[in-house]
Amino acid sequence: MTSTLPDRPIQAPVPAADWVVCPGCSGMIYAKRMDRAAGVCPECGHHTPRTAAQRIAHLIDDGSADMIDVAVPDRDPLGFVDSKAYPERLRDARRRTGLDEGVLVARGRIDSCPVVVAAMDFRFLGGSLGAAVGEAITRACEVALAERTPLLLVSASGGARMQEGVVALMQMAKTSQALRQLDEAGVLTISLVTDPTFGGVAASFATLCDVIVAEPGARLGFAGPRVIAQTIGETLPEGFQTAEYLLEHGIVDLICPRAELRAVLGRLLRVAGAPDASVTPIRPVLVRDHTALPVRHPWEVVRKARRFGRPTALDYAGLLLEEFTELHGDRMAADCAAMVCGLGVLDGAPVALIGTQKGRTPAEAAQRNFGMPTPAGYRKAARVMRLAGKLGIPLVTLIDTAGAFPGVAAEEQGQAVAIAENLRLLSGLPVPVVAVVTGEGGSGGALALAVADDVLMCADAVYSVITPEGCASILWKDAGSAPRAAEALRVDSRSLLELGVVDGVVPEAEHGDHLESARLLGDALRETLAPLAGMSTADRATRRHARFRAFGLAAAGSLSGPAVGTAGSLAGPAISAEACDETRESA
């Protein structure tokens, strides 16, 4: 098959008609005005379909597009004929679109960042996934792999090409295998979902990328709504399979209007392409000797840790990181608002950030589930942990939660399993990991983000196996004994530094001074990340293993401090067998 790829920079064609009708609002729009807005209705914001050539022209920096010839010989494996023979349908599609097949591939730059782009064109047989399209996507993956360049896949498809039968089905496996190779090589992959993306494309390369970006209103799904309704007779929810529905249900990372795509994609590409994964310490701020900290009643610290107005994870992300992009969803069922995750740059070095988010106001706190993550939150965090490991960038976790959400739905969705999986994942993550307890560090819900090379905490933060109120209710049968329980549990930073549970304490700024709080935390991260980045992966893994292996050993003065579970240890006073029986009965 002879290639008809353009021999000049791709130009987005201007519609021939002077006026067009917007499919979203049915308004008459001046065609040139619509084209200047890249096909977005200036009245209602509806995103109209774009051709593959228009996609590449819109996304790639002017003058940087270098088309990659991915043409393959025609195949008619089944000799398929419906109202027309398959070869005749191909000829008609080529005549109408000017394309050899339903995808264009190019090297280029987006916001000055190198990238390989494969863009599908729905006009060509409904953007169906046949052997030629599968080959084009696979070759794009192979070019990205050979050149260690991030890959952007722009999808628009009705599914697998029926005229090629099972050969088309095999393209799902072929393209998925190519993406797996990019995962193993640590090359960032981004999927841009446009309307529509269904069937075999949705169930393969469109949803296998590290980050899934969707245009507003774009539909994505395995089975189309008509098929679902006709097959099972079920009434579908409002907005079913749209980008907005999928964001709420944890499938896509973010929705991005077309006008902002280049900037958002550029931020993601810069994080993946940042040249140095280390940060430079500016000045030491961490307190590492517990005797340098004041002696305070732990209940006083608990109350300070819970005050509204402390900086949240998103506050720190905005104040500390450049190019921060928040990522959403567990790719299964939901997006937990109590867990925030994303990628950014600290002093020119890329980092992944995960944090619990309580909220800045009472209303936001309720919306954020008071910072108590659901299983979807921990699975979202696990996604970003794996992404940090793949890209080889440090991970920073910020912890401020009373604990994992204890509701019935959370138990049904595997809360314990989600936490356990994070503990295992963090224990072997091959990149530097620094955890900071910035407010409350509650039980396993906090520990699921705190299996780290270095664990820090803010001076007015607390970290405990249970809330003081919970401990008091169980052991003293009186929630009013919470101050007594806080003292027994030794939840304050001075006690935890003495015990070796934390490695350093970040001084506190005046309450409400977020800029100074961010400066202190930033200096603490630089102080901690710099030496970790200089260690080999094997040395870090050995050190992290030894750190947690030591807890519970009896040797005083070791990393673990006194044996956990004895008098004066993290667990507070020794608990009798009778008390354990009472605890089980209460549970």
Side-chain angles (χ1 to χ4, degrees):
M1 183 168 76
T2 303
S3 173
T4 58
L5 292 168
D7 56 4
R8 56 187 172 79
I10 294 177
Q11 301 292 327
V14 177
D18 290 337
W19 296 86
V20 295
V21 177
C22 170
C25 64
S26 300
M28 291 285 289
I29 309 295
Y30 188 46
K32 289 185 177 179
R33 186 184 181 200
M34 180 76 92
D35 190 66
R36 283 195 298 269
V40 179
C41 176
E43 301 299 329
C44 71
H46 178 78
H47 284 52
T48 62
R50 304 294 274 173
T51 69
Q54 288 171 324
R55 292 285 181 188
I56 291 176
H58 177 245
L59 292 173
I60 291 184
D61 296 351
D62 291 342
S64 73
D66 175 21
M67 304 306 300
I68 299 172
D69 191 340
V70 292
V72 298
D74 281 345
R75 291 185 177 89
D76 183 12
L78 305 182
F80 195 96
V81 179
D82 43 50
S83 59
K84 288 183 182 179
Y86 179 44
E88 187 179 349
R89 286 199 178 276
L90 287 174
R91 287 192 295 270
D92 288 348
R94 287 169 186 148
R95 185 168 54 251
R96 285 185 294 100
T97 64
L99 299 173
D100 283 340
E101 257 295 347
V103 64
L104 289 177
V105 180
R107 294 181 188 86
R109 291 181 174 273
I110 295 178
D111 218 5
S112 300
C113 300
V115 67
V116 174
V117 180
M120 301 186 72
D121 197 314
F122 193 80
R123 299 173 305 155
F124 198 102
L125 298 182
S128 52
L129 176 60
V133 171
E135 180 65 17
I137 298 295
T138 300
R139 289 192 189 177
C141 292
E142 290 170 348
V143 170
L145 178 63
E147 299 177 1
R148 292 298 193 271
T149 301
L151 175 70
L152 171 63
L153 301 176
V154 185
S155 61
S157 176
R161 190 169 297 179
M162 291 180 290
Q163 293 90 342
E164 295 185 16
V166 76
V167 174
L169 186 67
M170 293 302 106
Q171 304 310 307
M172 295 171 62
K174 176 178 177 176
T175 55
S176 300
Q177 180 176 268
L179 281 168
R180 179 188 57 79
Q181 291 180 312
L182 291 173
D183 288 338
E184 293 173 350
V187 176
L188 177 69
T189 57
I190 304 172
S191 172
L192 173 57
V193 175
T194 74
D195 187 58
T197 297
F198 282 110
V201 170
S204 59
F205 58 86
T207 53
L208 284 179
C209 292
D210 299 316
V211 180
I212 302 177
V213 182
E215 287 192 332
R219 292 167 294 165
L220 169 74
F222 182 57
R226 190 190 319 172
V227 173
I228 296 172
Q230 291 176 351
T231 302
I232 62 176
E234 189 172 338
T235 302
L236 303 180
E238 183 70 24
F240 182 64
Q241 293 182 319
T242 63
E244 293 74 16
Y245 182 92
L246 296 171
L247 181 67
E248 180 183 349
H249 288 81
I251 306 302
V252 303
D253 283 288
L254 62 151
I255 298 172
C256 184
R258 199 170 287 166
E260 301 172 15
L261 272 174
R262 291 183 74 253
V264 170
L265 294 172
R267 287 204 303 269
L268 290 168
L269 293 171
R270 272 190 291 278
V271 171
D276 187 2
S278 62
V279 293
T280 304
I282 294 178
R283 63 188 183 109
V285 297
L286 286 172
V287 178
R288 298 186 183 272
D289 179 2
H290 74 278
T291 61
L293 295 171
V295 177
R296 297 180 294 172
H297 195 288
W299 183 244
E300 172 194 346
V301 185
V302 170
R303 297 181 65 183
K304 287 189 173 183
R306 293 174 175 173
R307 284 185 298 183
F308 265 115
R310 293 180 68 84
T312 67
L314 286 177
D315 290 330
Y316 283 123
L319 292 169
L320 281 176
L321 302 182
E322 300 173 359
E323 312 277 9
F324 180 72
T325 302
E326 186 177 354
L327 305 179
H328 295 269
D330 64 350
R331 296 276 175 91
M332 291 178 62
D335 179 49
C336 174
M339 188 78 78
V340 296
C341 307
L343 303 175
V345 176
L346 176 65
D347 297 342
V351 296
L353 178 73
I354 298 172
T356 51
Q357 180 78 6
K358 279 187 175 179
R360 302 178 179 94
T361 65
E364 186 189 356
Q367 187 267 328
R368 297 276 183 183
N369 206 31
F370 299 94
M372 294 184 290
T374 64
Y378 291 108
R379 292 181 179 122
K380 174 169 63 172
R383 273 190 56 223
V384 176
M385 292 172 192
R386 293 188 186 96
L387 181 55
K390 170 182 171 175
L391 299 179
I393 62 177
L395 172 66
V396 173
T397 66
L398 304 179
I399 301 156
D400 184 12
T401 179
F405 183 62
V408 173
E411 292 299 319
E412 291 174 342
Q413 294 159 16
Q415 184 73 286
V417 176
I419 292 171
E421 290 288 351
N422 278 23
L423 298 178
R424 179 168 60 182
L425 177 58
L426 280 172
S427 69
L429 206 65
V431 296
V433 181
V434 176
V436 187
V437 182
T438 60
E440 281 189 281
S443 193
L447 185 62
L449 300 184
V451 180
D453 298 298
D454 282 289
V455 180
L456 313 177
M457 68 186 299
C458 294
D460 289 341
V462 293
Y463 193 11
S464 177
V465 68
I466 190 172
T467 63
E469 293 89 343
C471 177
S473 296
I474 293 171
L475 296 183
W476 284 282
K477 311 297 186 185
D478 174 20
S481 296
R484 179 183 174 190
E487 185 175 16
L489 288 167
R490 301 183 65 186
V491 299
D492 60 295
S493 59
R494 189 182 195 277
S495 297
L496 295 170
L497 184 60
E498 180 183 5
L499 290 167
V501 173
V502 299
D503 304 290
V505 174
V506 185
E508 290 273 353
E510 183 179 346
H511 184 65
D513 189 345
H514 290 191
L515 284 174
E516 179 64 9
S517 296
R519 186 188 67 78
L520 290 166
L521 179 60
D523 285 346
L525 292 175
R526 296 179 187 98
E527 182 181 343
T528 309
L529 284 171
L532 289 173
M535 299 172 64
S536 70
T537 300
D539 286 346
R540 276 197 308 269
T542 300
R543 180 179 179 271
R544 194 183 307 164
H545 176 82
R547 185 188 192 283
F548 289 91
R549 176 66 178 84
F551 285 112
L553 298 180
S558 69
L559 180 64
S560 63
V564 175
T566 62
S569 71
L570 177 64
I575 299 174
S576 67
E578 291 77 14
C580 290
D581 290 338
E582 292 175 358
T583 301
R584 282 193 290 270
E585 291 171 5
S586 299

